[in-house]
Amino acid sequence: MNLIFLGPPGAGKGTQAKRLIDRLRIPQLSTGDVLRKAVADGTPLGVKAKPLMSSGQLVPDEIVNGIVDEALDQPTYQKGFLLDGFPRTVPQAQALDAALQKRGRKIEHVLLLEVPIELLVARLSGRQTCPKCQTSYGKDNPPKKSGLCDNDGESLSVRPDDQPESVRRRMMEYETKTALLTGYYKARGVVRPIDGVGSVDDVEKRIVRALDPDGEHER
Ligand code: AP5
């Protein structure tokens, strides 16, 4: 199954993607996670992306298109993928279409997580992230041990782009560039709107129901 997670910053894309990889047994491909790793490793890509990301701007299309095009050839992504944070602009969506078409594949579902802006800002201001596995924690889903990741025990930190000024810029980038993708994919009948308000478990149940009305993936 080839899926895209669409939704504004803080909608819960990463949180839900990390749950669905277990349930659906398909890997997540998060361009944000790939870029944050490049920044942490100080690679040439990371050096270029760092100032853009921390100020809440998008990284140029050709860079992220290249990351995804390369990933699609890796064995991990052959049986399906869950794209989180990509595409984010119409040119990225067109590049993805071309990349999939040449491999005889297509997008089956676009999960559109809908959350009101006041809640998004509240979630981002309370977010702590694991720098190693990129799992996010918040007031409603805190780690078991304060300040430490449940998965690997790493110390949690606040993402530089969760500062208020960067959050404002990210919301603006979403409204002016990424929101256009809803219409792009609606025309193909693949958009599944999901109410993203409620507990992480409740949102997960809604996603599973939307993907699988017959209950094959229920547990
Ligand atoms: P990216 O990492 O993709 O960030 P984003 O889209 O801004 O999304 P977030 O990770 O902030 O939010 P999320 O929806 O994943 O929410 P989360 O699950 O963490 O991109 C970062 C940057 O990289 C971009 O700004 C850009 O510079 C660059 N970039 C990446 N991809 C790019 C591309 N394709 N093109 C160009 N540039 C690109 O949840 C948020 C918080 O809420 C957490 O604390 C979580 O614990 C909590 N939470 C989640 N669900 C719930 C719930 N149901 N109830 C209560 N709390 C919840």
Side-chain angles (χ1 to χ4, degrees):
M1 198 187 288
N2 302 320
L3 303 178
I4 292 176
F5 255 117
L6 208 57
K13 304 181 294 294
T15 301
Q16 294 298 334
K18 285 184 172 48
R19 289 180 162 221
L20 283 187
I21 53 177
D22 287 340
R23 196 188 274 275
L24 303 179
R25 296 200 188 86
I26 53 173
Q28 172 196 23
L29 175 53
S30 159
T31 42
D33 289 356
V34 172
L35 290 166
R36 274 184 290 280
K37 182 164 188 321
V39 170
D41 293 346
T43 65
L45 166 63
V47 170
K48 211 169 187 177
K50 188 176 178 179
L52 296 167
M53 290 176 77
S54 52
S55 63
Q57 297 176 72
L58 294 185
V59 170
D61 288 340
E62 50 288 6
I63 293 184
V64 279
N65 289 344
I67 293 173
V68 173
D69 195 49
E70 215 174 278
L72 289 178
D73 284 332
Q74 290 170 17
T76 325
Y77 300 107
Q78 296 315 306
K79 287 204 177 137
F81 53 74
L82 210 166
L83 279 173
D84 160 17
F86 182 93
R88 253 180 157 94
T89 64
V90 170
Q92 288 181 21
Q94 290 165 335
L96 177 64
D97 281 344
L100 290 175
Q101 204 177 8
K102 79 177 178 208
R103 293 167 174 94
R105 299 170 72 175
K106 64 176 179 144
I107 295 297
E108 274 121 350
H109 305 279
V110 175
L111 297 162
L112 174 64
L113 277 179
E114 298 176 316
V115 178
I117 184 141
E118 323 77 72
L119 202 51
L120 296 171
V121 172
R123 283 185 187 177
L124 292 175
S125 69
R127 171 163 67 178
Q128 286 189 302
T129 305
C130 173
K132 191 170 175 194
C133 72
Q134 305 286 335
T135 298
S136 286
Y137 299 89
K139 280 188 227 94
D140 297 337
N141 56 334
K144 291 188 182 94
K145 278 191 195 159
S146 175
L148 299 178
C149 180
D150 293 348
N151 302 329
D152 47 37
E154 284 285 314
S155 292
L156 302 177
S157 57
V158 174
R159 270 172 45 177
D161 60 345
D162 280 346
Q163 299 303 325
E165 192 50 43
S166 305
V167 168
R168 268 193 289 277
R169 182 71 195 248
R170 286 160 63 202
M171 295 295 176
M172 205 175 76
E173 293 278 57
Y174 180 81
E175 287 304 325
T176 55
K177 296 171 185 164
T178 311
L180 299 172
L181 294 181
T182 308
Y184 184 92
Y185 287 112
K186 259 191 182 157
R188 301 176 188 189
V190 292
V191 175
R192 317 274 171 254
I194 309 288
D195 177 4
V197 181
S199 71
V200 174
D201 285 345
D202 284 347
V203 176
E204 184 186 4
K205 280 184 199 141
R206 287 176 205 142
I207 293 173
V208 171
R209 240 177 278 134
L211 286 179
D212 179 26
D214 300 331
E216 201 188 311
H217 298 295
E218 294 282 353
R219 46 174 184 216

mmCIF file of all heavy atoms in Angstrom, residues 72-118:
data_model
loop_
_atom_site.group_PDB
_atom_site.id
_atom_site.type_symbol
_atom_site.label_atom_id
_atom_site.label_comp_id
_atom_site.label_asym_id
_atom_site.label_seq_id
_atom_site.Cartn_x
_atom_site.Cartn_y
_atom_site.Cartn_z
ATOM 1 N N LEU A 72 12.907 5.515 -3.296
ATOM 2 C CA LEU A 72 11.964 4.592 -3.944
ATOM 3 C C LEU A 72 12.663 3.388 -4.576
ATOM 4 O O LEU A 72 12.028 2.376 -4.838
ATOM 5 C CB LEU A 72 11.129 5.334 -5.002
ATOM 6 C CG LEU A 72 10.099 6.322 -4.454
ATOM 7 C CD1 LEU A 72 9.366 7.020 -5.600
ATOM 8 C CD2 LEU A 72 9.094 5.625 -3.539
ATOM 9 N N ASP A 73 13.958 3.494 -4.806
ATOM 10 C CA ASP A 73 14.700 2.357 -5.363
ATOM 11 C C ASP A 73 15.246 1.430 -4.280
ATOM 12 O O ASP A 73 15.777 0.369 -4.588
ATOM 13 C CB ASP A 73 15.863 2.855 -6.238
ATOM 14 C CG ASP A 73 15.352 3.360 -7.582
ATOM 15 O OD1 ASP A 73 14.303 2.862 -8.030
ATOM 16 O OD2 ASP A 73 15.999 4.257 -8.160
ATOM 17 N N GLN A 74 15.136 1.849 -3.012
ATOM 18 C CA GLN A 74 15.672 1.000 -1.943
ATOM 19 C C GLN A 74 14.735 -0.180 -1.686
ATOM 20 O O GLN A 74 13.510 -0.024 -1.726
ATOM 21 C CB GLN A 74 15.844 1.811 -0.652
ATOM 22 C CG GLN A 74 16.965 2.837 -0.743
ATOM 23 C CD GLN A 74 16.951 3.788 0.439
ATOM 24 O OE1 GLN A 74 16.332 3.524 1.472
ATOM 25 N NE2 GLN A 74 17.629 4.906 0.276
ATOM 26 N N PRO A 75 15.295 -1.366 -1.388
ATOM 27 C CA PRO A 75 14.457 -2.555 -1.157
ATOM 28 C C PRO A 75 13.375 -2.314 -0.094
ATOM 29 O O PRO A 75 12.244 -2.791 -0.236
ATOM 30 C CB PRO A 75 15.461 -3.612 -0.677
ATOM 31 C CG PRO A 75 16.803 -3.132 -1.125
ATOM 32 C CD PRO A 75 16.736 -1.646 -1.266
ATOM 33 N N THR A 76 13.691 -1.542 0.951
ATOM 34 C CA THR A 76 12.739 -1.285 2.042
ATOM 35 C C THR A 76 11.387 -0.792 1.546
ATOM 36 O O THR A 76 10.357 -1.099 2.138
ATOM 37 C CB THR A 76 13.312 -0.142 2.947
ATOM 38 O OG1 THR A 76 14.709 -0.268 2.993
ATOM 39 C CG2 THR A 76 12.686 -0.103 4.301
ATOM 40 N N TYR A 77 11.389 0.018 0.501
ATOM 41 C CA TYR A 77 10.138 0.684 0.089
ATOM 42 C C TYR A 77 9.430 -0.015 -1.076
ATOM 43 O O TYR A 77 8.492 0.532 -1.632
ATOM 44 C CB TYR A 77 10.425 2.150 -0.271
ATOM 45 C CG TYR A 77 10.998 2.920 0.902
ATOM 46 C CD1 TYR A 77 12.338 3.296 0.932
ATOM 47 C CD2 TYR A 77 10.203 3.241 1.994
ATOM 48 C CE1 TYR A 77 12.874 3.976 2.021
ATOM 49 C CE2 TYR A 77 10.725 3.906 3.085
ATOM 50 C CZ TYR A 77 12.055 4.271 3.089
ATOM 51 O OH TYR A 77 12.576 4.923 4.174
ATOM 52 N N GLN A 78 9.863 -1.235 -1.419
ATOM 53 C CA GLN A 78 9.285 -1.889 -2.594
ATOM 54 C C GLN A 78 7.847 -2.360 -2.373
ATOM 55 O O GLN A 78 7.049 -2.369 -3.289
ATOM 56 C CB GLN A 78 10.154 -3.070 -3.052
ATOM 57 C CG GLN A 78 11.542 -2.652 -3.529
ATOM 58 C CD GLN A 78 11.499 -1.426 -4.443
ATOM 59 O OE1 GLN A 78 10.790 -1.423 -5.438
ATOM 60 N NE2 GLN A 78 12.236 -0.376 -4.086
ATOM 61 N N LYS A 79 7.513 -2.752 -1.114
ATOM 62 C CA LYS A 79 6.159 -3.294 -0.890
ATOM 63 C C LYS A 79 5.163 -2.212 -0.507
ATOM 64 O O LYS A 79 3.994 -2.485 -0.261
ATOM 65 C CB LYS A 79 6.212 -4.363 0.197
ATOM 66 C CG LYS A 79 6.856 -5.641 -0.313
ATOM 67 C CD LYS A 79 6.402 -6.831 0.490
ATOM 68 C CE LYS A 79 7.001 -8.101 -0.093
ATOM 69 N NZ LYS A 79 7.490 -8.995 0.936
ATOM 70 N N GLY A 80 5.640 -0.983 -0.396
ATOM 71 C CA GLY A 80 4.743 0.113 -0.019
ATOM 72 C C GLY A 80 5.490 1.109 0.841
ATOM 73 O O GLY A 80 6.623 0.868 1.265
ATOM 74 N N PHE A 81 4.837 2.252 1.096
ATOM 75 C CA PHE A 81 5.460 3.284 1.922
ATOM 76 C C PHE A 81 4.397 4.207 2.457
ATOM 77 O O PHE A 81 3.281 4.278 1.933
ATOM 78 C CB PHE A 81 6.494 4.089 1.111
ATOM 79 C CG PHE A 81 5.938 4.648 -0.164
ATOM 80 C CD1 PHE A 81 5.073 5.731 -0.162
ATOM 81 C CD2 PHE A 81 6.249 4.055 -1.379
ATOM 82 C CE1 PHE A 81 4.547 6.226 -1.339
ATOM 83 C CE2 PHE A 81 5.708 4.539 -2.564
ATOM 84 C CZ PHE A 81 4.858 5.630 -2.544
ATOM 85 N N LEU A 82 4.790 4.886 3.502
ATOM 86 C CA LEU A 82 3.914 5.866 4.127
ATOM 87 C C LEU A 82 4.682 7.185 4.107
ATOM 88 O O LEU A 82 5.621 7.358 4.878
ATOM 89 C CB LEU A 82 3.722 5.372 5.555
ATOM 90 C CG LEU A 82 2.435 5.688 6.240
ATOM 91 C CD1 LEU A 82 2.313 4.847 7.466
ATOM 92 C CD2 LEU A 82 2.354 7.141 6.536
ATOM 93 N N LEU A 83 4.343 8.044 3.179
ATOM 94 C CA LEU A 83 5.081 9.307 3.046
ATOM 95 C C LEU A 83 4.564 10.320 4.054
ATOM 96 O O LEU A 83 3.360 10.584 4.116
ATOM 97 C CB LEU A 83 4.909 9.860 1.632
ATOM 98 C CG LEU A 83 5.791 9.270 0.548
ATOM 99 C CD1 LEU A 83 5.381 9.812 -0.813
ATOM 100 C CD2 LEU A 83 7.259 9.555 0.807
ATOM 101 N N ASP A 84 5.479 10.888 4.827
ATOM 102 C CA ASP A 84 5.106 11.840 5.887
ATOM 103 C C ASP A 84 5.909 13.118 5.650
ATOM 104 O O ASP A 84 7.125 13.106 5.737
ATOM 105 C CB ASP A 84 5.427 11.155 7.231
ATOM 106 C CG ASP A 84 5.576 12.110 8.396
ATOM 107 O OD1 ASP A 84 5.142 13.265 8.302
ATOM 108 O OD2 ASP A 84 6.127 11.673 9.420
ATOM 109 N N GLY A 85 5.204 14.202 5.274
ATOM 110 C CA GLY A 85 5.897 15.478 5.026
ATOM 111 C C GLY A 85 6.302 15.666 3.576
ATOM 112 O O GLY A 85 6.964 16.641 3.243
ATOM 113 N N PHE A 86 5.915 14.767 2.723
ATOM 114 C CA PHE A 86 6.187 14.856 1.282
ATOM 115 C C PHE A 86 5.015 14.232 0.547
ATOM 116 O O PHE A 86 4.568 13.160 0.970
ATOM 117 C CB PHE A 86 7.477 14.117 0.929
ATOM 118 C CG PHE A 86 7.837 14.229 -0.539
ATOM 119 C CD1 PHE A 86 8.680 15.235 -0.977
ATOM 120 C CD2 PHE A 86 7.313 13.338 -1.469
ATOM 121 C CE1 PHE A 86 9.003 15.352 -2.327
ATOM 122 C CE2 PHE A 86 7.621 13.461 -2.812
ATOM 123 C CZ PHE A 86 8.469 14.466 -3.238
ATOM 124 N N PRO A 87 4.507 14.809 -0.527
ATOM 125 C CA PRO A 87 4.892 16.092 -1.097
ATOM 126 C C PRO A 87 4.306 17.254 -0.298
ATOM 127 O O PRO A 87 3.358 17.090 0.459
ATOM 128 C CB PRO A 87 4.295 16.027 -2.503
ATOM 129 C CG PRO A 87 3.101 15.137 -2.374
ATOM 130 C CD PRO A 87 3.449 14.139 -1.315
ATOM 131 N N ARG A 88 4.874 18.440 -0.530
ATOM 132 C CA ARG A 88 4.449 19.640 0.189
ATOM 133 C C ARG A 88 4.152 20.796 -0.749
ATOM 134 O O ARG A 88 3.718 21.846 -0.289
ATOM 135 C CB ARG A 88 5.598 20.070 1.079
ATOM 136 C CG ARG A 88 5.409 19.824 2.528
ATOM 137 C CD ARG A 88 6.665 20.320 3.195
ATOM 138 N NE ARG A 88 6.460 20.640 4.550
ATOM 139 C CZ ARG A 88 6.680 19.802 5.549
ATOM 140 N NH1 ARG A 88 7.058 18.579 5.323
ATOM 141 N NH2 ARG A 88 6.497 20.214 6.782
ATOM 142 N N THR A 89 4.437 20.605 -2.023
ATOM 143 C CA THR A 89 4.143 21.632 -3.034
ATOM 144 C C THR A 89 3.614 20.902 -4.266
ATOM 145 O O THR A 89 3.840 19.683 -4.413
ATOM 146 C CB THR A 89 5.418 22.410 -3.452
ATOM 147 O OG1 THR A 89 6.312 21.480 -4.089
ATOM 148 C CG2 THR A 89 6.121 23.074 -2.265
ATOM 149 N N VAL A 90 2.946 21.644 -5.156
ATOM 150 C CA VAL A 90 2.440 20.999 -6.380
ATOM 151 C C VAL A 90 3.598 20.440 -7.221
ATOM 152 O O VAL A 90 3.527 19.291 -7.670
ATOM 153 C CB VAL A 90 1.510 21.961 -7.162
ATOM 154 C CG1 VAL A 90 1.178 21.396 -8.538
ATOM 155 C CG2 VAL A 90 0.239 22.225 -6.362
ATOM 156 N N PRO A 91 4.720 21.185 -7.409
ATOM 157 C CA PRO A 91 5.826 20.573 -8.164
ATOM 158 C C PRO A 91 6.357 19.279 -7.514
ATOM 159 O O PRO A 91 6.735 18.339 -8.213
ATOM 160 C CB PRO A 91 6.910 21.666 -8.171
ATOM 161 C CG PRO A 91 6.137 22.950 -8.027
ATOM 162 C CD PRO A 91 4.962 22.626 -7.144
ATOM 163 N N GLN A 92 6.332 19.199 -6.186
ATOM 164 C CA GLN A 92 6.766 17.940 -5.538
ATOM 165 C C GLN A 92 5.782 16.810 -5.850
ATOM 166 O O GLN A 92 6.178 15.671 -6.092
ATOM 167 C CB GLN A 92 6.870 18.115 -4.019
ATOM 168 C CG GLN A 92 8.050 18.956 -3.571
ATOM 169 C CD GLN A 92 8.152 19.090 -2.053
ATOM 170 O OE1 GLN A 92 7.616 18.283 -1.286
ATOM 171 N NE2 GLN A 92 8.851 20.124 -1.602
ATOM 172 N N ALA A 93 4.474 17.131 -5.844
ATOM 173 C CA ALA A 93 3.467 16.104 -6.145
ATOM 174 C C ALA A 93 3.622 15.623 -7.589
ATOM 175 O O ALA A 93 3.502 14.425 -7.883
ATOM 176 C CB ALA A 93 2.064 16.659 -5.910
ATOM 177 N N GLN A 94 3.924 16.557 -8.482
ATOM 178 C CA GLN A 94 4.111 16.168 -9.890
ATOM 179 C C GLN A 94 5.364 15.303 -10.049
ATOM 180 O O GLN A 94 5.363 14.310 -10.781
ATOM 181 C CB GLN A 94 4.216 17.426 -10.762
ATOM 182 C CG GLN A 94 2.883 18.155 -10.867
ATOM 183 C CD GLN A 94 3.000 19.568 -11.413
ATOM 184 O OE1 GLN A 94 4.057 20.202 -11.296
ATOM 185 N NE2 GLN A 94 1.909 20.082 -11.967
ATOM 186 N N ALA A 95 6.420 15.664 -9.313
ATOM 187 C CA ALA A 95 7.656 14.866 -9.388
ATOM 188 C C ALA A 95 7.403 13.470 -8.822
ATOM 189 O O ALA A 95 7.908 12.466 -9.358
ATOM 190 C CB ALA A 95 8.768 15.565 -8.606
ATOM 191 N N LEU A 96 6.597 13.395 -7.752
ATOM 192 C CA LEU A 96 6.285 12.078 -7.176
ATOM 193 C C LEU A 96 5.485 11.238 -8.168
ATOM 194 O O LEU A 96 5.763 10.049 -8.352
ATOM 195 C CB LEU A 96 5.501 12.256 -5.865
ATOM 196 C CG LEU A 96 5.041 10.963 -5.195
ATOM 197 C CD1 LEU A 96 6.235 10.101 -4.749
ATOM 198 C CD2 LEU A 96 4.149 11.265 -3.976
ATOM 199 N N ASP A 97 4.510 11.860 -8.829
ATOM 200 C CA ASP A 97 3.730 11.131 -9.837
ATOM 201 C C ASP A 97 4.653 10.533 -10.894
ATOM 202 O O ASP A 97 4.525 9.367 -11.267
ATOM 203 C CB ASP A 97 2.756 12.084 -10.545
ATOM 204 C CG ASP A 97 1.519 12.344 -9.708
ATOM 205 O OD1 ASP A 97 1.272 11.584 -8.756
ATOM 206 O OD2 ASP A 97 0.809 13.328 -10.007
ATOM 207 N N ALA A 98 5.580 11.366 -11.375
ATOM 208 C CA ALA A 98 6.489 10.903 -12.438
ATOM 209 C C ALA A 98 7.374 9.774 -11.912
ATOM 210 O O ALA A 98 7.573 8.749 -12.599
ATOM 211 C CB ALA A 98 7.338 12.073 -12.938
ATOM 212 N N ALA A 99 7.883 9.933 -10.680
ATOM 213 C CA ALA A 99 8.779 8.918 -10.107
ATOM 214 C C ALA A 99 8.033 7.594 -9.921
ATOM 215 O O ALA A 99 8.587 6.516 -10.169
ATOM 216 C CB ALA A 99 9.322 9.404 -8.767
ATOM 217 N N LEU A 100 6.765 7.657 -9.501
ATOM 218 C CA LEU A 100 5.996 6.426 -9.289
ATOM 219 C C LEU A 100 5.606 5.794 -10.616
ATOM 220 O O LEU A 100 5.681 4.581 -10.789
ATOM 221 C CB LEU A 100 4.736 6.727 -8.462
ATOM 222 C CG LEU A 100 4.990 7.085 -7.000
ATOM 223 C CD1 LEU A 100 3.690 7.482 -6.314
ATOM 224 C CD2 LEU A 100 5.635 5.924 -6.249
ATOM 225 N N GLN A 101 5.195 6.658 -11.548
ATOM 226 C CA GLN A 101 4.758 6.141 -12.850
ATOM 227 C C GLN A 101 5.868 5.341 -13.539
ATOM 228 O O GLN A 101 5.624 4.264 -14.056
ATOM 229 C CB GLN A 101 4.328 7.311 -13.732
ATOM 230 C CG GLN A 101 3.355 6.891 -14.800
ATOM 231 C CD GLN A 101 2.876 8.082 -15.618
ATOM 232 O OE1 GLN A 101 3.378 9.196 -15.470
ATOM 233 N NE2 GLN A 101 1.914 7.845 -16.481
ATOM 234 N N LYS A 102 7.085 5.859 -13.451
ATOM 235 C CA LYS A 102 8.166 5.132 -14.153
ATOM 236 C C LYS A 102 8.488 3.812 -13.458
ATOM 237 O O LYS A 102 9.138 2.957 -14.031
ATOM 238 C CB LYS A 102 9.395 6.022 -14.354
ATOM 239 C CG LYS A 102 10.305 6.228 -13.201
ATOM 240 C CD LYS A 102 11.511 7.087 -13.616
ATOM 241 C CE LYS A 102 12.393 7.330 -12.409
ATOM 242 N NZ LYS A 102 13.161 8.514 -12.409
ATOM 243 N N ARG A 103 7.979 3.641 -12.227
ATOM 244 C CA ARG A 103 8.191 2.365 -11.518
ATOM 245 C C ARG A 103 6.902 1.525 -11.491
ATOM 246 O O ARG A 103 6.818 0.538 -10.764
ATOM 247 C CB ARG A 103 8.656 2.642 -10.089
ATOM 248 C CG ARG A 103 10.055 3.273 -10.034
ATOM 249 C CD ARG A 103 10.362 3.818 -8.658
ATOM 250 N NE ARG A 103 11.715 4.287 -8.524
ATOM 251 C CZ ARG A 103 12.114 5.560 -8.702
ATOM 252 N NH1 ARG A 103 11.246 6.476 -9.065
ATOM 253 N NH2 ARG A 103 13.379 5.898 -8.562
ATOM 254 N N GLY A 104 5.881 1.974 -12.239
ATOM 255 C CA GLY A 104 4.609 1.240 -12.313
ATOM 256 C C GLY A 104 3.843 1.232 -11.001
ATOM 257 O O GLY A 104 3.147 0.262 -10.683
ATOM 258 N N ARG A 105 3.951 2.329 -10.236
ATOM 259 C CA ARG A 105 3.266 2.382 -8.933
ATOM 260 C C ARG A 105 2.393 3.629 -8.860
ATOM 261 O O ARG A 105 2.524 4.518 -9.694
ATOM 262 C CB ARG A 105 4.309 2.400 -7.814
ATOM 263 C CG ARG A 105 5.162 1.160 -7.821
ATOM 264 C CD ARG A 105 6.334 1.272 -6.881
ATOM 265 N NE ARG A 105 5.924 1.191 -5.487
ATOM 266 C CZ ARG A 105 6.794 1.160 -4.478
ATOM 267 N NH1 ARG A 105 8.086 1.212 -4.712
ATOM 268 N NH2 ARG A 105 6.374 1.069 -3.240
ATOM 269 N N LYS A 106 1.522 3.677 -7.851
ATOM 270 C CA LYS A 106 0.692 4.881 -7.682
ATOM 271 C C LYS A 106 0.286 5.046 -6.219
ATOM 272 O O LYS A 106 0.391 4.101 -5.425
ATOM 273 C CB LYS A 106 -0.542 4.821 -8.580
ATOM 274 C CG LYS A 106 -1.482 3.717 -8.262
ATOM 275 C CD LYS A 106 -2.716 3.801 -9.138
ATOM 276 C CE LYS A 106 -3.603 2.625 -8.771
ATOM 277 N NZ LYS A 106 -4.930 2.686 -8.758
ATOM 278 N N ILE A 107 -0.187 6.238 -5.898
ATOM 279 C CA ILE A 107 -0.670 6.525 -4.550
ATOM 280 C C ILE A 107 -2.083 5.978 -4.410
ATOM 281 O O ILE A 107 -2.954 6.264 -5.228
ATOM 282 C CB ILE A 107 -0.673 8.059 -4.298
ATOM 283 C CG1 ILE A 107 0.754 8.603 -4.321
ATOM 284 C CG2 ILE A 107 -1.388 8.423 -2.995
ATOM 285 C CD1 ILE A 107 1.661 8.061 -3.237
ATOM 286 N N GLU A 108 -2.315 5.182 -3.341
ATOM 287 C CA GLU A 108 -3.657 4.626 -3.135
ATOM 288 C C GLU A 108 -4.519 5.488 -2.210
ATOM 289 O O GLU A 108 -5.717 5.604 -2.405
ATOM 290 C CB GLU A 108 -3.557 3.213 -2.551
ATOM 291 C CG GLU A 108 -3.397 2.158 -3.623
ATOM 292 C CD GLU A 108 -2.123 1.366 -3.456
ATOM 293 O OE1 GLU A 108 -1.277 1.757 -2.625
ATOM 294 O OE2 GLU A 108 -1.968 0.373 -4.174
ATOM 295 N N HIS A 109 -3.896 6.032 -1.153
ATOM 296 C CA HIS A 109 -4.671 6.837 -0.199
ATOM 297 C C HIS A 109 -3.861 8.051 0.232
ATOM 298 O O HIS A 109 -2.650 7.943 0.459
ATOM 299 C CB HIS A 109 -4.988 6.054 1.082
ATOM 300 C CG HIS A 109 -5.690 4.762 0.859
ATOM 301 N ND1 HIS A 109 -7.049 4.687 0.638
ATOM 302 C CD2 HIS A 109 -5.245 3.487 0.831
ATOM 303 C CE1 HIS A 109 -7.395 3.422 0.490
ATOM 304 N NE2 HIS A 109 -6.318 2.667 0.596
ATOM 305 N N VAL A 110 -4.562 9.170 0.392
ATOM 306 C CA VAL A 110 -3.960 10.368 0.993
ATOM 307 C C VAL A 110 -4.742 10.642 2.275
ATOM 308 O O VAL A 110 -5.933 10.944 2.234
ATOM 309 C CB VAL A 110 -4.030 11.576 0.036
ATOM 310 C CG1 VAL A 110 -3.526 12.839 0.723
ATOM 311 C CG2 VAL A 110 -3.214 11.310 -1.233
ATOM 312 N N LEU A 111 -4.078 10.459 3.406
ATOM 313 C CA LEU A 111 -4.737 10.662 4.710
ATOM 314 C C LEU A 111 -4.565 12.120 5.090
ATOM 315 O O LEU A 111 -3.449 12.579 5.316
ATOM 316 C CB LEU A 111 -4.080 9.764 5.758
ATOM 317 C CG LEU A 111 -4.231 8.261 5.489
ATOM 318 C CD1 LEU A 111 -3.220 7.462 6.295
ATOM 319 C CD2 LEU A 111 -5.650 7.805 5.805
ATOM 320 N N LEU A 112 -5.686 12.840 5.128
ATOM 321 C CA LEU A 112 -5.631 14.276 5.423
ATOM 322 C C LEU A 112 -6.045 14.489 6.876
ATOM 323 O O LEU A 112 -7.215 14.366 7.233
ATOM 324 C CB LEU A 112 -6.581 15.023 4.480
ATOM 325 C CG LEU A 112 -6.757 16.509 4.738
ATOM 326 C CD1 LEU A 112 -5.439 17.264 4.531
ATOM 327 C CD2 LEU A 112 -7.825 17.089 3.806
ATOM 328 N N LEU A 113 -5.062 14.795 7.723
ATOM 329 C CA LEU A 113 -5.340 14.989 9.154
ATOM 330 C C LEU A 113 -5.804 16.411 9.398
ATOM 331 O O LEU A 113 -5.072 17.364 9.123
ATOM 332 C CB LEU A 113 -4.073 14.729 9.970
ATOM 333 C CG LEU A 113 -3.763 13.268 10.309
ATOM 334 C CD1 LEU A 113 -2.462 13.186 11.105
ATOM 335 C CD2 LEU A 113 -4.894 12.638 11.108
ATOM 336 N N GLU A 114 -7.020 16.561 9.915
ATOM 337 C CA GLU A 114 -7.612 17.892 10.104
ATOM 338 C C GLU A 114 -7.650 18.254 11.591
ATOM 339 O O GLU A 114 -8.248 17.531 12.396
ATOM 340 C CB GLU A 114 -9.024 17.914 9.514
ATOM 341 C CG GLU A 114 -9.000 17.644 8.019
ATOM 342 C CD GLU A 114 -10.376 17.545 7.381
ATOM 343 O OE1 GLU A 114 -11.257 16.888 7.979
ATOM 344 O OE2 GLU A 114 -10.575 18.117 6.298
ATOM 345 N N VAL A 115 -6.980 19.375 11.909
ATOM 346 C CA VAL A 115 -6.899 19.845 13.308
ATOM 347 C C VAL A 115 -6.969 21.376 13.283
ATOM 348 O O VAL A 115 -6.275 22.004 12.479
ATOM 349 C CB VAL A 115 -5.555 19.395 13.956
ATOM 350 C CG1 VAL A 115 -5.429 19.916 15.374
ATOM 351 C CG2 VAL A 115 -5.403 17.875 13.940
ATOM 352 N N PRO A 116 -7.794 22.000 14.146
ATOM 353 C CA PRO A 116 -7.857 23.467 14.142
ATOM 354 C C PRO A 116 -6.542 24.110 14.586
ATOM 355 O O PRO A 116 -5.813 23.528 15.405
ATOM 356 C CB PRO A 116 -8.968 23.797 15.143
ATOM 357 C CG PRO A 116 -9.442 22.525 15.711
ATOM 358 C CD PRO A 116 -8.703 21.390 15.116
ATOM 359 N N ILE A 117 -6.298 25.312 14.054
ATOM 360 C CA ILE A 117 -4.989 25.953 14.250
ATOM 361 C C ILE A 117 -4.632 26.177 15.728
ATOM 362 O O ILE A 117 -3.484 25.986 16.121
ATOM 363 C CB ILE A 117 -4.877 27.251 13.421
ATOM 364 C CG1 ILE A 117 -3.472 27.848 13.559
ATOM 365 C CG2 ILE A 117 -5.908 28.287 13.782
ATOM 366 C CD1 ILE A 117 -2.912 28.426 12.317
ATOM 367 N N GLU A 118 -5.608 26.544 16.570
ATOM 368 C CA GLU A 118 -5.282 26.805 17.993
ATOM 369 C C GLU A 118 -4.703 25.549 18.629
ATOM 370 O O GLU A 118 -3.753 25.615 19.416
ATOM 371 C CB GLU A 118 -6.519 27.185 18.844
ATOM 372 C CG GLU A 118 -7.588 28.032 18.219
ATOM 373 C CD GLU A 118 -8.495 27.257 17.281
ATOM 374 O OE1 GLU A 118 -9.327 26.433 17.712
ATOM 375 O OE2 GLU A 118 -8.344 27.506 16.066
#
